[in-house]
Amino acid sequence: MSDPFPSWMAALEKRHLARLTFPEVRRALQALSSLYVERRGRLARGAAFDGAGKRAAFALFYGPLHFLAVRAVVEALGAHQPPPTRILDLGCGTGAAGAAWAAAAGGAPPVEGVDRSAWAADEARFTFAALGLAGRSVRRGLEDAALPGRGGAIVAAFTVNELDVAGRERLRPRLLEAARAGAAVLVVEPIARRSAPWWEGWATAFREAGGRADEWRFPVQRPELVARLDRAAGLDHRELTARSLWLRR
Ligand SMILES: C[S@@+](CC[C@H](N)C(=O)[O-])C[C@H]1O[C@@H](n2cnc3c(N)ncnc32)[C@H](O)[C@@H]1O
């Protein structure tokens, strides 16, 4: 499979810049970034996607960066070999993480996205189609999603930190149980500037189950629009960083 990323990026620009101007997306990106950095409490109420500007900023900027980061993590871990039989993307947003894993694995694994946001579930469908992947997505809380067993894969990227404490505590044993049943499990989060107390507990649990916890830095060739938005919004993603939990038995 040739790299489907450039044509997805072109389709995203066409889709979102038809409705909004570059300065509108740049302003929305600044608002979205401040939500992620300073006002995380509002994320739990779905504030990240509450307006066309922020939705476009997420789709055009964070979606592609998350795709590139997750693809790099998947390749570094060897998670694409053998290709999973299917990939469940929990809190899929625009579908970037599941799509990145499927694309790294040669494009064959079908992706199922689950997200509580109707907009996100719809956008994920667009992503899978634009990348030439077999995919579907449903609007649902990830807490109750049925998890795949042997040969399947589960990714939760930039999502676990958005759950409340009870949601996280429910999810962790379910992921470990799915791994015991033969699924591959990948959790990706930003390298935190402030503490995420849950991370160490999860890292210990993954290690004890035979998995690993890593921090990553990757050089990245940002798409032209992402680089322009990065500069205009006063951000800096010239290097991709992430941390991951990985378990496949
Ligand atoms: C920061 S976004 C990350 C999206 C995507 N995984 C990515 O890597 O780009 C977090 C996503 O998790 C979703 N989310 C948060 N809590 C959720 C829950 N309890 N059930 C389902 N989706 C949830 C949000 O709607 C949002 O789309």
Side-chain angles (χ1 to χ4, degrees):
M1 181 189 199
S2 63
D3 185 4
F5 181 82
S7 55
W8 175 44
M9 200 61 226
L12 279 173
E13 289 193 35
K14 197 163 161 208
R15 179 173 171 89
H16 293 285
L17 289 180
R19 301 177 206 158
L20 293 162
T21 63
F22 182 87
E24 285 170 332
V25 177
R26 191 258 304 151
R27 271 197 300 280
L29 176 58
Q30 285 169 319
L32 191 56
S33 306
S34 107
L35 262 182
Y36 282 119
V37 176
E38 292 147 29
R39 292 180 284 155
R40 299 201 58 89
R42 293 188 54 218
L43 287 177
R45 303 196 293 278
F49 299 151
D50 69 356
K54 282 195 228 138
R55 294 199 284 262
F58 191 91
L60 282 172
F61 188 79
Y62 286 110
L65 286 175
H66 290 176
F67 180 100
L68 294 171
V70 172
R71 186 168 67 179
V73 169
V74 160
E75 288 175 351
L77 289 168
H80 54 318
Q81 295 299 345
T85 50
R86 55 182 274 235
I87 298 169
L88 176 67
D89 186 341
L90 296 174
C92 64
T94 62
W101 195 343
V111 187
E112 182 185 341
V114 175
D115 202 287
R116 66 179 177 191
S117 152
W119 172 77
D122 187 51
E123 193 69 18
R125 268 174 233 123
F126 168 81
T127 297
F128 302 145
L131 286 163
L133 301 169
R136 64 190 199 98
S137 58
V138 290
R139 178 188 187 184
R140 186 192 300 148
L142 63 86
E143 291 79 0
D144 300 314
L147 305 182
R150 181 153 302 284
I154 305 163
V155 62
F158 308 99
T159 292
V160 177
N161 201 45
E162 283 197 18
L163 303 178
D164 59 19
V165 173
R168 267 199 300 273
E169 285 184 357
R170 262 180 76 195
L171 182 62
R172 190 173 88 182
R174 293 194 69 219
L175 292 179
L176 295 172
E177 182 49 42
R180 263 193 297 277
V185 180
L186 177 63
V187 175
V188 180
E189 288 288 328
I191 294 176
R193 274 163 247 162
R194 62 181 73 169
S195 80
W198 64 271
W199 179 265
E200 275 314 314
W202 280 56
T204 302
F206 272 63
R207 284 197 202 99
E208 283 174 357
R212 54 187 273 187
D214 294 281
E215 290 200 354
W216 306 99
R217 274 177 200 285
F218 301 108
V220 65
Q221 186 72 36
R222 288 165 303 173
E224 208 261 335
L225 177 64
V226 171
R228 271 175 63 212
L229 281 168
D230 216 7
R231 278 193 299 275
L235 303 171
D236 184 356
H237 293 79
R238 281 174 295 181
E239 184 180 57
L240 287 179
T241 61
R243 57 185 175 176
S244 65
L245 302 173
W246 166 242
L247 179 55
R248 181 171 60 188
R249 289 150 64 103

